[in-house]
Amino acid sequence: MKFALIIHETKEEFAKRTSPDAGKYWAGWVAYGKALTDAGVMAGGAGLQGPETATTMRLSPKQEVHDGPYAESKEILGGFYLIDVPTLDVAMQWASRIPSPGGSVELRPLLVM
Amino acid sequence: MTISPSNPALEAERIARHAYGRVLAVIACATRDLHQAEDALAGALVEALQKWPRDGVPENPEGWLVVAAKRNAVDQARTDAASSQARTSAQVIHHFQRLQRAQAVSDADDSRAAHMPEDRLRVMFVCAHPAIETSVHAPLILQALLGLSAQRIASAFLLSPTTMGQRLVRAKAKLRDACVSFDLPPRQELDQRVPEVLNALYAAYNAAHDEPRDGDLPTRALASEAIELAEVVTRLLPQQPEAWGMRALLLLSHARRDARRDGAGRYVPLDQQDCDLWDKSMIREGDRFLREAAKFSTPGRFQLEAAIQSVHVDRAQTGITNWQAILSLYDVLVRVRPTVGASVGRAAAVCYVEGPEAAIQQLELIDQRLVPEHQPYWAVKADVLARAGKSGLAIAAYDRAMALTDDPTVRAFLLERREKC
């Protein structure tokens, strides 16, 4: 079963990307990604640029475009991983190791298509 | 085949009812789908209740039900796989895997029977899974392992049957679709997850115990079955002191079941219960489990609550209630698990040890935002106010306590007390 781990970082954590601490910040993610790959569960994913780069389009009935993310919130959608593991429980183990203190992660099984 | 002596139809139903949780657990652990397992077993039960009264109850009724339910599960999985629901090859494979799992319920059902208790424990961990909302844990256990209908569970939790039904359906769909593990959690996670299972099981016992108020037979059996599940937990996880504590608590509380109502069906509070009506062998067993728990020297909520019950039932031996001991236990309990219920229980003990004025003070220390709908708070408050001679305030508190209970016998008892103010 493939799961998406959708990661929401705190603003403080996200700000580290451009701070003097950036080296440590990225090292955590690189190590995590490598651990997923080494365990043979990595099925994809990406880090995302900041919410200031986001454009949101509302679709029908009336198409609207606005500058910014889908919803303003205290947490920032930072990226996602796709992992291939046998159960939700194993996915939760991997999710618990995500190097984003204070943040949250949503686990969703992918549709079988 | 054994032919049952008395009423074959009733006997068949009793056996089928007793086998429910064990058989469901076997099927669910194989298919990893509670809903499908319930459907499969429901079909098998219909068949059993037609055949058993006529042909006699089979020697191994659980094995019989496993075989019949498995056949239904395989048939259902086959139908689903062949149906137009499976549009893509991945979906066909998905259905095929379900079919294989259904078929994997071992053909050697006798060897399977040896695993039955473990399967029930696995299902308890699934029902109390952290990915499922806590309020649904106990209802899931009541439905999956005790075979209660959504309607009866709803009444025990004061919800509409539709709402409860929807929550159960949603939870079971999530367990299936999100691929929740039906294996026991690994060692390092076990300690963390056991409390959720114990809490859910305790809530399930209370719901099973509380539900109909007339003390009819099926209710009794249900509470006993919840106690049996606690036995499964301690047998398979003997290193968990709180599991022993909870089992002790259930027994020490269940031992008093016959004394809670008098001959006329009126409510009798604990301190006025007739000790002769308490089940002494159940008390001895409860005390033994409490000692078993104490060996680990790691007290917890259930051990403390069981210890409080144990002091109460000691009255059968000594003729008096050692309120000082009860107060000391509550002192620890409010630190380990600071809840309104624990603080209210402690205030009641303070009343006996230090007098009603001190108890009133303790009640006032409780966060007042948490008390408006807490029935025991108002019942204890009314009692201590009455003892302190503050009739006006006591009457108001009795009114609130009466308005918050759903048990007519408790309401009648409170009214009687109120009239004495």
Side-chain angles (χ1 to χ4, degrees):
Chain A
M1 170 71 70
K2 286 200 182 86
F3 289 85
L5 309 183
I6 303 156
I7 299 152
H8 297 266
E9 299 179 62
T10 62
K11 283 190 172 149
E12 295 71 37
E13 197 56 30
F14 199 83
K16 286 185 186 165
R17 291 182 174 194
T18 50
S19 77
D21 266 349
K24 272 191 222 155
Y25 173 90
W26 291 115
W29 290 106
V30 170
Y32 182 72
K34 183 168 184 303
L36 290 178
T37 307
D38 290 350
V41 299
M42 174 72 102
L48 301 177
Q49 295 192 36
E52 71 284 357
T53 64
T55 304
T56 302
M57 294 177 67
R58 190 158 297 283
L59 305 173
S60 59
K62 189 169 151 277
Q63 188 167 309
E64 280 174 29
V65 179
H66 80 88
D67 181 24
Y70 166 68
E72 285 296 335
S73 76
K74 281 184 198 153
E75 293 185 328
I76 295 169
L77 177 58
F80 66 95
Y81 288 101
L82 302 180
I83 62 171
D84 195 351
V85 291
T87 62
L88 174 65
D89 302 68
V90 179
M92 285 166 68
Q93 276 174 13
W94 280 109
S96 71
R97 300 170 187 144
I98 285 174
S100 187
S104 60
V105 52
E106 181 172 335
L107 294 88
R108 287 267 197 113
L110 300 198
L111 271 175
V112 178
M113 288 177 96
Chain B
M1 296 274 175
T2 52
I3 305 298
S4 44
S6 54
N7 183 336
L10 271 181
E11 181 68 1
E13 194 180 337
R14 189 187 66 76
I15 293 172
R17 200 179 240 290
H18 188 69
Y20 187 92
R22 298 165 200 269
V23 177
L24 184 106
V26 173
I27 306 293
C29 285
T31 61
R32 293 187 231 156
D33 184 339
L34 276 182
H35 183 70
Q36 189 201 23
E38 280 170 0
D39 278 355
L41 178 52
L45 285 171
V46 168
E47 205 184 320
L49 294 182
Q50 281 166 354
K51 286 191 176 158
W52 293 2
R54 194 184 61 217
D55 307 338
V57 175
E59 250 168 70
N60 177 1
E62 287 168 13
W64 191 98
L65 285 168
V66 167
V67 172
K70 177 196 157 186
R71 195 171 51 231
N72 293 340
V74 170
D75 285 350
Q76 186 58 49
R78 208 171 265 151
T79 310
D80 290 348
S83 81
S84 57
Q85 281 182 346
R87 284 179 302 269
T88 65
S89 57
Q91 282 170 337
V92 172
I93 291 168
H94 178 67
H95 282 299
F96 181 69
Q97 285 169 341
R98 274 184 62 201
L99 178 60
Q100 278 185 319
R101 285 207 291 264
Q103 280 168 334
V105 182
S106 166
D107 287 322
D109 292 300
D110 285 344
S111 76
R112 205 56 218 172
H115 296 293
M116 281 181 175
E118 190 181 338
D119 283 345
R120 280 193 291 174
L121 185 68
R122 289 162 72 186
V123 169
M124 281 186 248
F125 273 96
V126 168
C127 292
H129 197 279
I132 297 295
E133 202 200 321
T134 312
S135 65
V136 194
H137 291 175
L140 275 174
I141 288 182
L142 287 166
Q143 186 164 63
L145 293 175
L146 301 181
L148 249 65
S149 69
Q151 186 152 9
R152 285 185 66 191
I153 299 169
S155 73
F157 288 89
L158 302 177
L159 281 171
S160 81
T162 321
T163 308
M164 182 53 85
Q166 283 166 347
R167 285 188 192 178
L168 287 164
V169 166
R170 210 184 302 139
K172 282 181 279 188
K174 178 167 181 193
L175 289 170
R176 179 195 61 215
D177 296 340
C179 236
V180 160
S181 170
F182 275 71
D183 295 329
L184 285 181
R187 243 295 13 119
Q188 66 271 24
E189 273 178 45
L190 206 58
D191 290 353
Q192 227 178 329
R193 291 200 38 204
V194 161
E196 294 239 48
V197 171
L198 297 180
N199 287 341
L201 196 50
Y202 184 58
Y205 165 80
N206 281 320
H209 182 267
D210 272 357
E211 199 236 329
R213 310 259 176 226
D214 48 3
D216 60 349
L217 258 170
T219 322
R220 285 290 165 76
L222 213 53
S224 309
E225 280 172 40
I227 290 175
E228 193 190 317
L229 292 180
E231 188 269 329
V232 171
V233 179
T234 53
R235 179 149 44 91
L236 297 171
L237 302 173
Q239 300 302 315
Q240 297 287 335
E242 277 290 90
W244 289 106
M246 191 201 56
R247 195 175 161 199
L249 175 59
L250 295 190
L251 287 172
L252 292 170
S253 142
H254 204 57
R256 296 189 288 98
R257 65 198 180 280
D258 287 331
R260 285 198 186 97
R261 306 277 181 271
D262 67 11
R266 283 180 303 224
Y267 173 78
V268 185
L270 174 51
D271 59 343
Q272 283 164 35
Q273 286 171 11
D274 179 355
C275 311
D276 290 342
L277 296 175
W278 293 347
D279 185 330
K280 302 298 182 309
S281 71
M282 208 174 259
I283 290 174
R284 273 194 300 277
E285 227 186 344
D287 280 338
R288 185 161 64 81
F289 299 145
L290 198 49
R291 285 195 297 276
E292 198 64 44
K295 286 180 187 163
F296 296 88
S297 304
T298 41
R301 174 242 171 143
F302 286 118
Q303 294 170 72
L304 288 161
E305 287 189 35
I308 290 167
Q309 291 294 325
S310 175
V311 177
H312 274 298
V313 296
D314 233 17
R315 178 158 66 84
Q317 309 291 325
T318 61
I320 53 154
T321 302
N322 185 346
W323 285 103
Q324 185 61 60
I326 289 175
L327 180 54
S328 310
L329 289 165
Y330 269 117
D331 284 342
V332 186
L333 182 62
V334 293
R335 278 203 303 274
V336 170
R337 198 165 188 270
T339 60
V340 176
S343 300
V344 168
R346 186 175 174 280
V350 166
C351 181
Y352 287 98
V353 177
E354 297 170 26
E357 295 289 349
I360 293 170
Q361 279 179 12
Q362 289 302 318
L363 288 171
E364 280 166 0
L365 290 175
I366 297 173
D367 184 346
Q368 293 298 305
R369 285 168 303 182
L370 302 176
V371 302
E373 286 176 42
H374 197 273
Q375 199 274 344
Y377 171 86
W378 294 100
V380 168
K381 187 166 188 173
D383 184 55
V384 298
L385 285 167
R387 284 171 199 268
K390 300 181 176 173
S391 327
L393 291 170
I395 286 170
Y398 274 124
D399 284 342
R400 181 74 77 100
M402 278 191 283
L404 291 172
T405 183
D406 60 341
D407 184 337
T409 67
V410 170
R411 198 176 301 127
F413 166 80
L414 291 168
L415 183 62
E416 206 177 292
R417 285 282 179 98
R418 180 189 185 276
E419 281 167 352
K420 286 182 187 152
C421 280

